[in-house]
Structures are given as structure tokens and as C-alpha cells.
Amino acid sequence: MSCSRSCPRRGSCATCPSPSSGEPCRGKLLLVGNPNVGKSALFSRLTGTHALSSNYPGTTVGFLEGRLAHGERCYRLVDVPGAYTLEATNEAEEIASRIVDEGADAAILVLDATALERNLVLALEVLERKLPALVALNMVDEARHKGISVDPAALEEALGIPVVSTVAVTGQGVKELLDRLPEARPARFAPSSKEERWVAVGRIVESVQKVTHRHHTWRDRLEDASVDPLWGILVGALVLGGSFLLVRTLGEGLIDHVFDPFFENLWRPLLDRLGTALGPGTARDLLLGTLFDGQVDFEQSFGILSTGLYVEFAMVLPYILAFYGVLSLLEDVGYLPRLAVLFDALLHRMGIHGYAVIPTLLGLGCNVPGILATRVLESRRERFIACTLISVAVPCTALQAMIVGSLGAISMGYVALVYGVLLLSWLLLGRFLHRILPGFSPELIVEIPPYRLPSPGALGMKLALRVKDFLVEATPLVLGGILLVDLLEMVGAMTLLARILGPLFRWVLGLPGEAAGPIVMGLFRKDIAMGLLLPLHLSPRQLVVATTVLSMTFPCIATFVVLLKELGGRDTLRSMGLMIAAALLAGGLLNALFLLLG
């Protein structure tokens, strides 16, 4: 966490002092509002771009905390998860209700001026709890463009608490909001029923809001086209195609010009000196891995300090930065909810709702952030289905390079066949899991915000938090996983496993028994496994079967250990069992098909 730019001792966030007394921050403020009302942009304005991302105890629901110093007070600002009601309908709303019930010095109620009626429902629920509050009437610029006029003075009189008009993206009204913080007070609303609350909301809106006619703009037409069943698919294809091109360009640029030069010019000499100091032995084998011509090969040595760090920081991190940057941009512009709506009908048939498209898209870059992003899903059942589908049938960038590189030179038809099998496996396995797993998938209830220009500060904060969370969570798991694999290889466990699986590969998949070893090696690195398959001189059809099975079994060690952390041991074993069964079934059917075709 970090203090706001106005704090006199910004940076000493652990003991952020009150300017007059030198005491640590003891005040607590809540930022409460519906999803997509500009809370993130306002949070960024109030605290700077530094914040701490946390999960509410015992849940996967996250929220942000920051420090805000203003006048004689220093506050801990909590960005409460976006909710439509405190009468919880999902886990995020349940956590929002708990945080509000825990109390605070005051709550800043962020209302979207373009959708005042819906926003006031949550506001009245908070005010009924007698929490001191004031209102940030946000997006008044967008409301004006839509022909909506809200009188802040009349709204202040109706609610009985201070109301300040704001535009969080530009900072308009934020200073006045801070100046009026001491005026926050409880409102006079008594607890009421849902029907009584809606009557009160209608009465307030009628007295404070006026709507005038306006003509549709090009942005309005684009918003409508984005969720249209036909045009929405075309817009989505253009957006996704442009996004993947941008991610690939940014990721490869970072690798070529930043990370590879760092590892080659700065890190390699340090490892060479360490290898000389250690000499031959177990310590060097674990830390540096296998040496090729006396030197570390960052991709193949498989040491903790060589391949372990290189894979995460030079191969995965650049795409993480690119993916999260583009994803945050699409999110803040307002496109991601539209994409979720377009995919919801398909994904709901697989037991997950439309927001699962986000982890799936991330998985196409790297499965690790894809697995981590399944936290946006509301139930453990949905997270299990999404994690399993990503692990089995969503090829990461490295895996896609392997598929194209190994089969593209023979025939692009074989490449299309592998992708077709993966897509079919994704659809059928999802449908199968939806049918056999107990429970149900909640409906997708999502606000479709207008398109808007994003706040650079909020974008930077979101990107920094996501990258930090990835590094903190994934680094120890990746390094620990590589250490475990190295130890298994040293005792010969992997070789023994490959020998045991040889007959199964011959009878079911039509592959020579020697192919079992490389495919088991796919747990380490897919491209290395592919390199070990090539000397076996497989026929094109055998290579298709081997590539398909290799693609569907055992994601890289980084994905495996993150999967273990997210699902736990029992569900990870279930997911692995489904993975192996699906891969053998797909490979066996491909082999049978090729035998029938002669």
C-alpha cells in the first residue's frame, strides 16, 4: 500500500501518520457502489496508483486497500467489491455486505449519474445501516451527453447526506469530495422492504432527475452493435484479432529487446561464475541444471536458477505484461462485459458463465494467468470446470508454436486437425462436466457500461497489481515444481514411468513404445518433448496423434503447481484424471480414424 500524493510522508505507508499528531492511520473509509460506476478510477485518484490487493478471509473475492491523508486525518480506504444489493445473490455481494456491516468511519457511495435509479437501491441499503456517508455522483459528463440532468442539491436534500458531482477519470469534483469528508453523516432512512425501497427510489429519481431527448451518436451505435447477435460477433472477432496481434507484438518485443538481453548479458556471466565455484555435483545440477558444451542453456538445462527463472521471467512474464495490459484496457473501455454476454449462451451449456471467456483468453497466452483468472467465477464448481478445460484444451503460445512448427512443414491440414480436436474436446468435455458435476451455474448478471476513455492511473494500478500477484503467487510454485521434477528425474522415477506406459502407447495410440518417454517429458517442457519425438521418425499421422496427446496432457510444471494451489490436492487429481482420459480417448479415436482411412 502507499499513501496518496497529498500525504506529507508519502511512502511510509506501513505507519502513514496523521499530519498533526504523528499517529498511524486510524480512520477507515469504504468506497461502495455497483460494478462499472468508476470506483477504480476514483480509488486511483484518492490513493495514487499504489494499493494492496487482498482476498477477503476464506474466499477468493478480492478487494483493494489504499491510504488517503487529507487535512488532519489519515484514512485506510477500502474499495468494496462491486455489488447491486447487500441482500447477497453471489459471493462478491456477500463479501460487500460483510464489509459494510463491519463498519467504518464513513462510506463514499459512488453513484452512476447515467443509471441513478439502479444505483440508489444499493445506496439506500447502506444508508439504512446508519453508516455515516456521502455521495460521489460520478459520470455527470456522460449523463449530460445522454440528455440526463441530475440536480446534486436536490439529491442531497432527498438523501440527507452530502452529494458531490464528480468525473473520476478527469478528477473533476474529487477535491470538493475530499473537502466534504468531515460532513459525512448517517441518513434518516429506516430499514424497509424491497418494495418500499423501490418506491422511495422512484420518488427520489422523479424529484432530482430530468431527461431530455437526444439523437444517437456513433458511439451509441457502436455500443448497440457490440451486443447484437450478428454484428457483435464481427466486432468481437476484430477486437480479439487486434488484441492477440498487439499482445504478440508487445510480448515478443519485450523478450527480444529487454528480457533476453538481460539474461544473456547479465545473468549468464553470474551463472557461469557460480557453476565454476560449485563444480560438478548435485548442487550444480539442481541450481544450474544440465550444461551443454560447458554452458547453461536457458531453455533446456532445467535448473532452478537457469530454466526456472528464464521460463517465468523471460518467456512468461512478457506475455503476462502484454495480456494484462490489453485485458485491463478492454475492461476499462467497457468492452469485456459485452464479450461475456456474447459468449454466455455457449459457455452456460458447459457449466460456466460468460465471464469464463476472460480466463480462456488469458490461457491462450499462458495457462498460468488463465488458471489464476478463474477467480472471477463465482462458484468452486465453475472454477473446477474452467481450470480443467484450460489445462486440457486451451493451448498456450509455446504449445501453439510447437503444433505449427512440428506439423506445419508437412501440411497445414494436420495443424487444422489438431486445433479441431482441441476445440471439440473443449466443447464435449465442458458439456460432460456440466452434466455429471453436482450444483448449478449462476446466471450471468452483468452491467453493460457505456464505452468510455480509461484512466491511465487506474490502468497502471490494475496492471501493476495483477503482475505483482502473478509474481508473488507463481514464482515459489514454479521454482518448487522444477526442484521436485529434478529430484524425480535424479531417482529415475520419470524413466520408470515412461517404460511402464510403453505398451499402452503401442496398443491404444499406435505409437512406438519409445514415444512414452518424450510425452511424459511434456510435464517439463512441451518443446523439449517435441524435440525428443522427432528422432523417432514418426509418420505424419503418428505425429498428429503424438502432438494431440502431448497438447492435452500435463500442462507445464508452472501450470500444474498453480492448478494445485487453486483447486487443492483432491480436485487437482480429479482434473488430472479427466485430462489423461480425454487425451487417451482423443488419441485413440484419431488412431482408429487413420486406420479406417488406410
Side-chain angles (χ1 to χ4, degrees):
M1 285 183 291
S2 175
C3 307
S4 74
R5 282 185 276 266
S6 62
C7 182
R9 287 177 57 186
R10 181 171 178 251
S12 57
C13 54
T15 57
C16 174
S18 170
S20 60
S21 65
E23 292 295 320
C25 284
R26 301 193 186 280
K28 180 182 178 182
L29 290 178
L30 303 182
L31 207 58
V32 184
N34 290 176
N36 302 307
V37 296
K39 285 197 300 108
S40 295
L42 185 58
F43 182 90
S44 176
R45 286 280 174 187
L46 293 175
T47 65
T49 58
H50 297 81
L52 175 67
S53 175
S54 306
N55 281 349
Y56 194 84
T59 74
T60 59
V61 176
F63 64 93
L64 297 179
E65 283 189 55
R67 300 278 178 165
L68 163 67
H70 184 71
E72 297 299 313
R73 294 295 304 272
C74 185
Y75 300 97
R76 182 165 61 95
L77 183 64
V78 177
D79 185 4
V80 178
Y84 294 106
T85 174
L86 297 182
E87 298 174 1
T89 61
N90 56 49
E91 192 175 15
E93 290 178 345
E94 181 182 343
I95 301 311
S97 179
R98 288 189 203 172
I99 294 176
V100 170
D101 287 340
E102 288 169 2
D105 291 84
I108 299 175
L109 306 177
V110 186
L111 307 185
D112 179 357
T114 68
L116 185 60
E117 187 173 34
R118 173 175 47 75
N119 281 238
L120 279 173
V121 173
L122 176 67
L124 292 189
E125 289 180 343
V126 175
L127 295 178
E128 289 172 9
R129 285 163 165 77
K130 302 304 179 185
L131 189 66
L134 73 164
V135 167
L137 184 63
N138 200 32
M139 301 184 193
V140 291
D141 56 337
E142 290 187 11
R144 186 173 61 254
H145 296 154
K146 290 176 176 287
I148 300 172
S149 173
V150 180
D151 185 344
L155 183 60
E156 183 168 326
E157 183 178 351
L159 295 178
I161 59 175
V163 175
V164 179
S165 298
T166 61
V167 180
V169 172
T170 64
Q172 176 186 329
V174 173
K175 183 179 184 302
E176 183 184 354
L177 182 70
L178 289 173
D179 290 341
R180 298 197 68 180
L181 268 178
E183 300 178 35
R185 56 185 178 269
R188 59 180 179 270
F189 292 94
S192 58
S193 67
K194 189 179 299 185
E195 291 75 15
E196 292 170 333
R197 198 175 298 125
W198 274 108
V199 170
V201 166
R203 186 170 58 248
I204 293 171
V205 171
E206 186 177 358
S207 66
V208 305
Q209 177 180 279
K210 292 181 180 179
V211 181
T212 56
H213 174 73
R214 59 182 290 277
H215 294 289
H216 266 45
T217 64
W218 66 268
R219 191 166 69 172
D220 297 325
R221 295 188 181 93
L222 181 59
E223 289 174 4
D224 293 340
S226 300
V227 292
D228 182 82
L230 174 60
W231 290 106
I233 297 296
L234 297 177
V235 172
L238 289 174
V239 171
L240 292 180
S243 298
F244 281 121
L245 180 61
L246 182 57
V247 166
R248 182 172 179 178
T249 301
L250 291 175
E252 290 179 355
L254 287 171
I255 291 172
D256 293 339
H257 302 294
V258 178
F259 292 97
D260 269 352
F262 170 81
F263 273 88
E264 289 295 336
N265 300 328
L266 296 177
W267 193 242
R268 182 183 293 281
L270 293 177
L271 293 185
D272 289 341
R273 293 195 197 102
L274 179 62
T276 302
L278 291 175
T282 302
R284 190 182 74 176
D285 291 342
L286 290 176
L287 294 176
L288 303 186
T290 304
L291 301 183
F292 296 85
D293 296 327
Q295 281 194 320
V296 164
D297 184 309
F298 284 119
E299 293 190 13
Q300 300 185 62
S301 290
F302 222 75
I304 295 174
L305 299 181
S306 55
T307 303
L309 295 180
Y310 183 80
V311 165
E312 181 172 359
F313 289 96
M315 297 182 68
V316 175
L317 181 59
Y319 288 106
I320 294 288
L321 287 167
F323 253 102
Y324 274 145
V326 173
L327 186 74
S328 298
L329 179 63
L330 293 177
E331 190 174 36
D332 285 9
V333 164
Y335 182 71
L336 276 190
R338 292 169 167 80
L339 194 64
V341 169
L342 288 174
F343 275 88
D344 186 58
L346 170 64
L347 294 178
H348 225 81
R349 295 177 178 274
M350 302 162 66
I352 46 183
H353 64 53
Y355 261 120
V357 71
I358 298 171
T360 303
L361 291 177
L362 284 172
L364 289 169
C366 173
N367 282 180
V368 172
I371 299 296
L372 293 175
T374 58
R375 295 175 183 178
V376 303
L377 303 177
E378 296 174 7
S379 69
R380 185 173 181 85
R381 177 181 186 268
E382 286 183 293
R383 290 192 287 271
F384 175 82
I385 293 174
C387 285
T388 301
L389 293 180
I390 290 171
S391 302
V392 174
V394 178
C396 67
T397 301
L399 187 52
Q400 293 180 62
M402 179 205 77
I403 294 170
V404 176
S406 60
L407 296 172
I410 303 172
S411 169
M412 289 304 294
Y414 288 138
V415 174
L417 179 58
V418 173
Y419 274 100
V421 171
L422 292 178
L423 176 60
L424 189 61
S425 300
W426 184 74
L427 293 169
L428 294 179
L429 182 58
R431 188 66 179 158
F432 172 73
L433 291 176
H434 182 39
R435 283 185 172 274
I436 67 167
L437 292 179
F440 68 98
S441 298
E443 294 296 327
L444 177 66
I445 302 175
V446 58
E447 170 70 10
I448 303 294
Y451 285 130
R452 58 175 67 103
L453 291 175
S455 162
L459 271 176
M461 179 185 70
K462 195 175 296 185
L463 177 60
L465 287 172
R466 285 172 167 171
V467 171
K468 183 186 75 173
D469 287 346
F470 165 75
L471 292 177
V472 169
E473 296 191 26
T475 300
L477 296 173
V478 172
L479 299 183
I482 285 181
L483 175 61
L484 175 63
V485 168
D486 281 341
L487 294 174
L488 290 174
E489 181 68 13
M490 285 181 179
V491 300
M494 304 305 290
T495 303
L496 177 62
L497 181 61
R499 189 180 304 125
I500 293 172
L501 293 176
L504 176 67
F505 276 65
R506 284 193 296 269
W507 299 334
V508 176
L509 304 177
L511 299 175
E514 295 82 2
I519 290 179
V520 171
M521 278 291 293
L523 176 62
F524 303 166
R525 282 288 306 282
K526 299 290 187 182
D527 49 356
I528 295 175
M530 200 67 227
L532 294 174
L533 281 173
L534 295 178
L536 299 180
H537 304 293
L538 302 178
S539 69
R541 291 181 175 182
Q542 285 180 317
L543 196 56
V544 168
V545 173
T547 303
T548 301
V549 173
L550 186 57
S551 300
M552 294 179 65
T553 50
F554 295 117
C556 68
I557 190 64
T559 303
F560 181 79
V561 292
V562 171
L563 195 68
L564 185 65
K565 181 179 184 298
E566 291 300 305
L567 296 182
R570 181 180 176 183
D571 279 350
T572 298
L573 288 176
R574 293 169 64 197
S575 182
M576 291 297 107
L578 289 165
M579 176 187 301
I580 293 170
L584 291 176
L585 181 60
L589 289 175
L590 268 178
N591 180 45
L593 176 64
F594 287 144
L595 290 174
L596 286 174
L597 294 175

